[in-house]
Structure formats: structure tokens, C-alpha cells
Amino acid sequence: MLLYGLLLLSLSFWTSHSVFKIPLKMFAGKFNASVQLDLRTLRKNQSAVESGLSLASDPAGIVNFLDMINNLKGDSGRGYYMQMVIGTPGQTLNILVDTGSSNFAVAAAEHPYITHFYNRALSSTYQSSGRGVAVKYTQGEWEGELGTDRITIPQGPSGTITINIAAILKSEGFFLPGINWQGILGLAYPLLARPDPSVEPFFNSVVGQTGIPDVFSLQMCGAGVSASTTADPAGGSLIMGGVEPTLYRGSVWYTPVLEEWYYQVEVLKLEVGAQNLNLDCKEYNSDKAIVDSGTTLLRLPGNVFSAVVEAIMQTSLIEDFSAGFFEGTKLACWMRGESPWRLFPKISIYLRATNTSQSFRITILPQLYVQPITDIDGTLDCFRFGISPSANALVIGATVMEGFYVIFDRAQKRVGFAVSTCAGKWVQGCASLQLLLIKWPRH
């Protein structure tokens, strides 16, 4: 529960004639960001076809991308999940989509924060391997037992697939209040699989057994959705086997995958507004930079985070602010109907292009990183800061990904970004892409 009014600040912004002030309230208290926030005619794009990507249904009928549109539900705070049917007879569960891990794991025992679980004893096709497994995440951990079983995906590739499955028997901080999923789908490379890379990840099994291209793409449409809403989750799409052209606008720009464990990329610089942070490239990539749908926020290495906060405070139209907003311990609240986004600058992330002498930038407007959380008594709208410090990585998480259609082209070892077509006033204009013909040294 939020504790009321500890601090009253004011905001100022200039017009051509005068200065106006808007009341701003800050609220503090124990706040769990991960819970309380936390068809035009299809035509094949020639450049994508040349790159080997599938863009429509394939002749064998294994994959039809139109069937996969809107197969996700959720938002950045509570995670994006899809429905899967596991075992024989089938048991239906919602599974969190996570590009930052590699195990497919589902609850196999009761837990106070989930409504149901996968009962191995009821599945005639479940086979135990007899091996234990444990996985720790940035938040939460679990342990259980490895085995195999059959799955089908109602809005995915057709047919039944046999996969490695971890039965979660014990967990801490993994299942949280308010979630609507009962497992996790790790979509990263085998090197991250636990207990070792011999445990074939889910998507590797799908590609091997169905023959679809080794590509998947994500559109996540929860930008601007308050975590306190009781309405149906905003959702999105996980396209397995290629790229669906109705889900993005303009061009797709690709950055190389540097190492196949996480989807590790290279960040060249950051800008806040028009201000270059002027940090060494190594600072942005300390000790890695990754694209991870399972991380809620944009996470930045400590020095980079501090520089971004300082630049925001210098360039924003807020004359004074509590550090608690940037530290994630306080919410910023405005009178209902007042939009805070015009008071904050855009943030640009520069990524190395596949032509390594070039770069492109993904630009994130405040609609993505100043995020609505809840309202107070119907009179105040409260927001959180969607960026946090990290001890070991720069993580392009859901806060950024919600503005883009993100393509994980594993076949060609690259990650692509295009502006998302998520309908709605919140997303349109929240992000942009630009190719820059600048020569960058290798780091």
C-alpha cells in the first residue's frame, strides 16, 4: 500500500509569455515494481525474403503468422505470457516469455500466488530424467526436476512438440502476487540452459522438430497501461518462424549478436535529449549489453545510470525533484488529466549495425520510460521511473521493447528493431529509428 503525501513539489515549464506551475506529489512506501506497477493485404518484403526470413504461411502449413497475432497477454510490469497445452491429456497453462534465459519451466506443485499447476502424474507422456535443476534470475529463483513431455501451442506452429521441461517444485520470489502465468519460456541460447547446455532449449526443439526458420519476433503492446487496471492485459504477439509485416512500420535495422548466450549486442553511445553522455563505449557494455523481454525496465550500468539521471534533471522541465523517483522508492503524481511526458526528454540508444562501420539509434520517448502505475482517490495519476541501475549489464528490457517490433534472427546472428504498429494513443509516436552513416571503431 502506498503511504500518502510526504512531499509536495512543483513543476515549471516555459511558454513564450509566462511560467506555469503544476502541482506534483511524491508518494513513498514499500513498492514492488514487478507486482504493483511491476489487416492490410499481406505482401512479401523483398529485402526480408532475400535475408531468408519467412513472411507468411509456409507451404507445409506448419506456421501461419496471422494465427499468432495477439497470442500474448500482459504488460511490462507483470510480464508477457502465452497459452500452452502440456502433456497427455493436455493441461493448459500460461507461460511467461523470456529472451533472457533458456529453460522451459512450469509450476508442478501448489503455490499461493498461482491458480493451478502442471500435474506430471496426470500426463501419460511425461518422462522424468531424474536430474535436478535450479535457476536464479535477477529477481527470484526456483528448483525442481527435469523431464520431457509433449506440448501444443494453440496460437503457434501446428503439431505436437516434445520438449525438455523443468517441473518447479520449490521457488522463492519467482511467482508473485497478481501474476497470471504459471511458468517461464526461456528463448535464449543453449549456453544459458541449466544445469548445462545439453538441455536443449524450447525454441531449438521447435525449429528442429517442425523445420521452421530459426527466427522469432516479438511485439509487446502494454505501453501506457497502468498496472492497477483491472481490464484485460494489453498483450502482443510472439511470431515463431519469421517476421509478420503487419506488426511494424518502416524499415528494420539489425545489430549483430556478439555472443550466443544471451542476445548480446553492442551499444555505442546514449543521448538524453540532444546531450551525448560522452562516456567510454566500454561503460555502456559493462559487462554486457543484452536484449531481454523478461526484464521489466531499461537497466543501465551504475555510471551510465547516474549520467542519465543527471542529464534528465538538467534537460527536463522539472525545476526540482526527489531522488526517490529515480531510485524507484517513490512515485511521481500529477493531477488527473495532466500529462507529465512533455516535461521529460527523449532518450536515444545507438547500436552497431550489421555493417559494422555504421550505427542506428532507437529513440525512446517519455511515454515509454515514465510509466503509469496507479491513481490516488481518482484525482491523481501516479508514475514510476522505468529505468534502474544494474551491477552487471545494460539490459534493453520491456520498457524499450514495447516501442518496437523486435526480431531475433538467430539464423543470421542478429537482432532487428522496427517501429511497432501497436494500435493506441499510448504507443504511436513513442519510438523511432534512424540509420546513421558514422564510422565507429571496434571496442
Side-chain angles (χ1 to χ4, degrees):
M1 180 179 291
L2 298 176
L3 301 179
Y4 277 69
L6 298 181
L7 181 64
L8 179 64
L9 301 177
S10 64
L11 303 178
S12 68
F13 62 94
W14 290 94
T15 68
S16 59
H17 301 291
S18 58
V19 176
F20 293 86
K21 292 187 179 290
I22 302 173
L24 169 65
K25 290 187 178 181
M26 302 293 295
F27 292 88
K30 293 183 178 180
F31 181 74
N32 188 331
S34 65
V35 179
Q36 295 170 282
L37 356 136
D38 201 19
L39 261 173
R40 60 183 171 83
T41 303
L42 286 177
R43 65 179 188 277
K44 293 198 173 185
N45 179 298
Q46 185 61 33
S47 61
V49 172
E50 290 171 352
S51 69
L53 300 183
S54 175
L55 289 178
S57 58
D58 71 334
I62 294 172
V63 57
N64 186 336
F65 297 160
L66 294 181
D67 290 343
M68 300 184 201
I69 292 176
N70 297 325
N71 61 0
L72 298 181
K73 291 184 178 180
D75 55 57
S76 65
R78 292 164 289 196
Y80 288 85
Y81 55 88
M82 71 184 308
Q83 188 179 92
M84 292 190 178
V85 180
I86 306 172
T88 309
Q91 302 174 46
T92 301
L93 285 85
N94 293 330
I95 309 297
L96 179 74
V97 173
D98 179 24
T99 64
S101 67
S102 297
N103 284 81
F104 181 90
V106 297
E110 291 183 347
H111 189 281
Y113 296 147
I114 61 174
T115 56
H116 58 290
F117 62 92
Y118 165 60
N119 191 331
R120 295 172 291 168
L122 298 181
S123 175
S124 62
T125 48
Y126 174 77
Q127 294 185 350
S128 173
S129 71
R131 300 174 68 191
V133 59
V135 176
K136 289 187 177 183
Y137 303 91
T138 303
Q139 176 178 294
E141 59 187 284
W142 55 260
E143 58 184 70
E145 182 181 281
L146 285 173
T148 62
D149 208 340
R150 297 178 181 177
I151 66 138
T152 59
I153 308 171
Q155 288 182 271
S158 61
T160 300
I161 305 155
T162 299
I163 59 160
N164 290 302
I165 185 168
I168 299 175
L169 302 175
K170 181 181 177 182
S171 65
E172 183 174 344
F174 181 70
F175 298 112
L176 299 168
I179 63 169
N180 193 29
W181 45 266
Q182 300 85 38
I184 186 167
L185 171 58
L187 288 167
Y189 293 99
L191 197 58
L192 290 184
R194 297 293 181 265
D196 58 63
S198 69
V199 180
E200 185 177 70
F202 168 87
F203 197 68
N204 293 66
S205 298
V206 172
V207 171
Q209 294 177 45
T210 66
I212 65 172
D214 194 6
V215 183
F216 66 88
S217 48
L218 269 172
Q219 183 191 59
M220 304 189 299
C221 297
V225 177
S226 171
S228 64
T229 181
T230 57
D232 289 340
S237 303
L238 170 61
I239 307 298
M240 287 174 271
V243 178
E244 171 47 57
T246 63
L247 299 183
Y248 68 91
R249 295 184 284 112
S251 300
V252 180
W253 300 111
Y254 289 93
T255 187
V257 172
L258 299 184
E259 187 176 346
E260 295 173 277
W261 57 325
Y262 296 97
Y263 293 97
Q264 183 179 349
V265 298
E266 185 179 8
V267 175
L268 298 172
K269 72 172 183 175
L270 263 71
E271 290 177 344
V272 176
Q275 178 180 333
N276 185 351
L277 296 186
N278 287 319
L279 297 176
D280 189 283
C281 176
K282 293 178 182 178
E283 296 259 25
Y284 301 123
N285 299 280
S286 177
D287 59 354
K288 57 187 173 289
I290 63 174
V291 183
D292 177 12
S293 67
T295 293
T296 299
L297 306 179
L298 169 61
R299 305 194 72 217
L300 302 175
N303 289 343
V304 180
F305 176 79
S306 297
V308 166
V309 169
E310 180 64 26
I312 289 175
M313 294 179 71
Q314 289 178 1
T315 59
S316 78
L317 298 173
I318 299 171
E319 66 177 13
D320 194 12
F321 224 125
S322 165
F325 174 69
F326 297 109
E327 293 168 355
T329 59
K330 294 182 180 179
L331 299 176
C333 301
W334 282 262
M335 297 302 296
R336 191 142 210 191
E338 290 285 348
S339 170
W341 295 318
R342 57 198 167 93
L343 306 170
F344 290 85
K346 64 185 179 181
I347 297 175
S348 294
I349 301 174
Y350 288 70
L351 298 169
R352 190 178 295 279
T354 48
N355 178 339
T356 56
S357 65
Q358 299 177 351
S359 71
F360 64 92
R361 72 181 177 202
I362 56 176
T363 297
I364 311 135
L365 297 192
Q367 288 92 328
L368 290 175
Y369 74 84
V370 179
Q371 302 170 335
I373 298 301
T374 189
D375 68 271
I376 304 294
D377 293 337
T379 60
L380 295 172
D381 288 328
C382 297
F383 298 76
R384 73 165 181 183
F385 190 49
I387 305 174
S388 68
S390 168
N392 58 4
L394 185 152
V395 184
I396 298 174
T399 288
V400 178
M401 294 176 68
E402 285 181 332
F404 299 93
Y405 183 52
V406 185
I407 300 161
F408 297 83
D409 184 358
R410 294 149 53 102
Q412 299 199 48
K413 300 180 181 180
R414 60 186 186 172
V415 177
F417 292 83
V419 176
S420 173
T421 58
C422 281
K425 63 180 180 179
W426 300 105
V427 175
Q428 296 299 335
C430 289
S432 66
L433 277 162
Q434 182 180 4
L435 179 68
L436 302 164
L437 304 179
I438 301 173
K439 289 191 175 181
W440 292 92
R442 300 298 299 181
H443 292 274

